[in-house]
Amino acid sequence: QSAHRAGLRGFIRYGWRWSWRVATFVTIFNMVSTGLSVYRNKTTIGNFASAGAFTGALFRMHLGLQGLAGGFVFGMVFGIPAGGLLVMMQKLAGETLHERRNRERRELYEQKLAEW
């Protein structure tokens, strides 16, 4: 029981320390990748690699130039598989987010045109 309590205390103490960092990292990563996808009007693995590189560099900036470069590479290395997985899942679903958005816009336009 004491080991269980010690584990719970450790989880609460260190869990908070890591939770806000992970939440901030994911928020920045998603904002950058979504912003790039909207700006370029397509979803590619490069968007996720760029978002990972930017976020990794931002989080390691306080360690100097070596930390900045390391965070850049680390973020890009983890952004590529994340983007590849998402693009692959969209392909398996049969419709990408871009195609779905265009289809929904077209359907809404046709519906409003028919109502008019």
Side-chain angles (χ1 to χ4, degrees), residues 24-62:
T24 305
F25 187 91
V26 169
T27 301
I28 294 171
F29 178 85
N30 282 332
M31 285 175 53
V32 172
S33 66
T34 302
L36 287 171
S37 294
V38 168
Y39 180 74
R40 298 178 66 203
N41 201 21
K42 60 183 173 179
T43 302
T44 62
I45 295 174
N47 293 347
F48 293 97
S50 300
F54 175 78
T55 309
L58 188 66
F59 265 70
R60 293 293 171 204
M61 189 169 51
H62 69 282

Side-chain angles (χ1 to χ4, degrees), residues 4-20:
H4 184 266
R5 286 185 185 148
L8 186 60
R9 276 194 311 268
F11 179 75
I12 291 170
R13 183 181 308 143
Y14 297 111
W16 170 252
R17 229 182 253 177
W18 282 99
S19 66
W20 72 267

Side-chain angles (χ1 to χ4, degrees), residues 61-77:
M61 189 169 51
H62 69 282
L63 297 175
L65 191 57
Q66 283 181 329
L68 185 81
F72 184 87
V73 170
F74 185 78
M76 189 175 354
V77 164

